[in-house]
Amino acid sequence: MESLSQSIFFSISIPIIHLMLIRLIRIEGWHIKLMFVSFFIYMTLDLVIKYILYSQEDNFILHILVSISSTTFISLFYLEAFSMVARGFSMRIITDIYLNSDLDIEGICREYGEGKGIKWLLEKRLKGIEDLDLIIQKGPHIKLSSKKAIFLVLFSKKFKKIFNLGKGG
């Protein structure tokens, strides 16, 4: 239990390391890459601390397993929280309503993303999916462009069916 508590305590280093790396490197679009670097540093730090504290104990392997599993879980939690704030559609709508005091549905569509609009969001998402070689745009038509796209669709459908998630995003 002490080993888990230490991993949780040191998890505060993730956002600190992440912010320091962003401020030091200052390359546009590297936020996600630097997040993974901060995960690696955090996990390494945690493993080194476990080695220093527990390497002479009989159950050292157990401490290492606790460290790996807890740091992985905490890193995934941070990744999800960061993603919700940075890219979350609903969070952006709430932020836009806050920034513009009072919006109707048309106002939200127009003001989404600091005035870029819902069309911008859709075009940005489509561009990202196209860059991943999952779709191709030919004139006004958009089609799946690869076997991996078909695999992802089938996987998603199966996953949603298993967990009874319905048709939503």
Side-chain angles (χ1 to χ4, degrees), residues 72-134:
T72 300
F73 172 77
I74 291 166
S75 295
L76 290 172
F77 178 82
Y78 181 79
L79 175 71
E80 183 63 27
F82 183 85
S83 179
M84 284 182 61
V85 172
R87 299 180 44 98
F89 181 66
S90 300
M91 287 296 291
R92 186 69 238 184
I93 290 172
I94 293 168
T95 302
D96 287 336
I97 291 170
Y98 172 78
L99 293 173
N100 294 286
S101 298
D102 185 27
L103 292 174
D104 58 7
I105 291 176
E106 288 80 20
I108 291 171
C109 290
R110 183 182 61 253
E111 295 301 322
Y112 182 84
E114 298 174 352
K116 294 175 184 168
I118 294 292
K119 185 177 180 202
W120 166 82
L121 169 71
L122 180 59
E123 289 171 350
K124 178 182 170 196
R125 295 276 174 98
L126 288 172
K127 175 74 172 117
I129 297 168
E130 192 172 19
D131 290 346
L132 292 171
D133 191 35
L134 298 174

Side-chain angles (χ1 to χ4, degrees), residues 2 24 30 44 69 93 101 118 154:
E2 185 178 304
L24 287 172
W30 274 46
T44 304
S69 60
I93 290 172
S101 298
I118 294 292
L154 296 174

Side-chain angles (χ1 to χ4, degrees), residues 54-63:
Y54 303 111
S55 63
Q56 302 304 314
E57 292 188 16
D58 293 335
N59 59 353
F60 174 64
I61 290 294
L62 181 61
H63 290 289

Side-chain angles (χ1 to χ4, degrees), residues 14 20 104 108 116 143 150 157:
I14 295 173
M20 286 174 37
D104 58 7
I108 291 171
K116 294 175 184 168
K143 298 184 177 193
I150 295 167
K157 286 178 67 174

Side-chain angles (χ1 to χ4, degrees), residues 3 7 10-11 14 35 37 39 44 54 64 82 105 107 112 117-118 129-130 144 149-150 160 165:
S3 185
S7 294
F10 289 120
S11 70
I14 295 173
M35 181 188 324
V37 172
F39 293 161
T44 304
Y54 303 111
I64 295 299
F82 183 85
I105 291 176
Y112 182 84
I118 294 292
I129 297 168
E130 192 172 19
L144 296 181
I150 295 167
K160 287 180 178 186
L165 296 176

Side-chain angles (χ1 to χ4, degrees), residues 9-49:
F9 176 76
F10 289 120
S11 70
I12 191 67
S13 69
I14 295 173
I16 293 169
I17 295 167
H18 191 202
L19 288 170
M20 286 174 37
L21 290 171
I22 289 169
R23 301 237 189 282
L24 287 172
I25 295 179
R26 296 179 182 250
I27 297 176
E28 186 67 33
W30 274 46
H31 294 81
I32 303 297
K33 292 175 185 169
L34 296 175
M35 181 188 324
F36 284 100
V37 172
S38 67
F39 293 161
F40 178 76
I41 293 169
Y42 160 60
M43 290 178 167
T44 304
L45 173 69
D46 196 59
L47 288 170
V48 167
I49 290 168

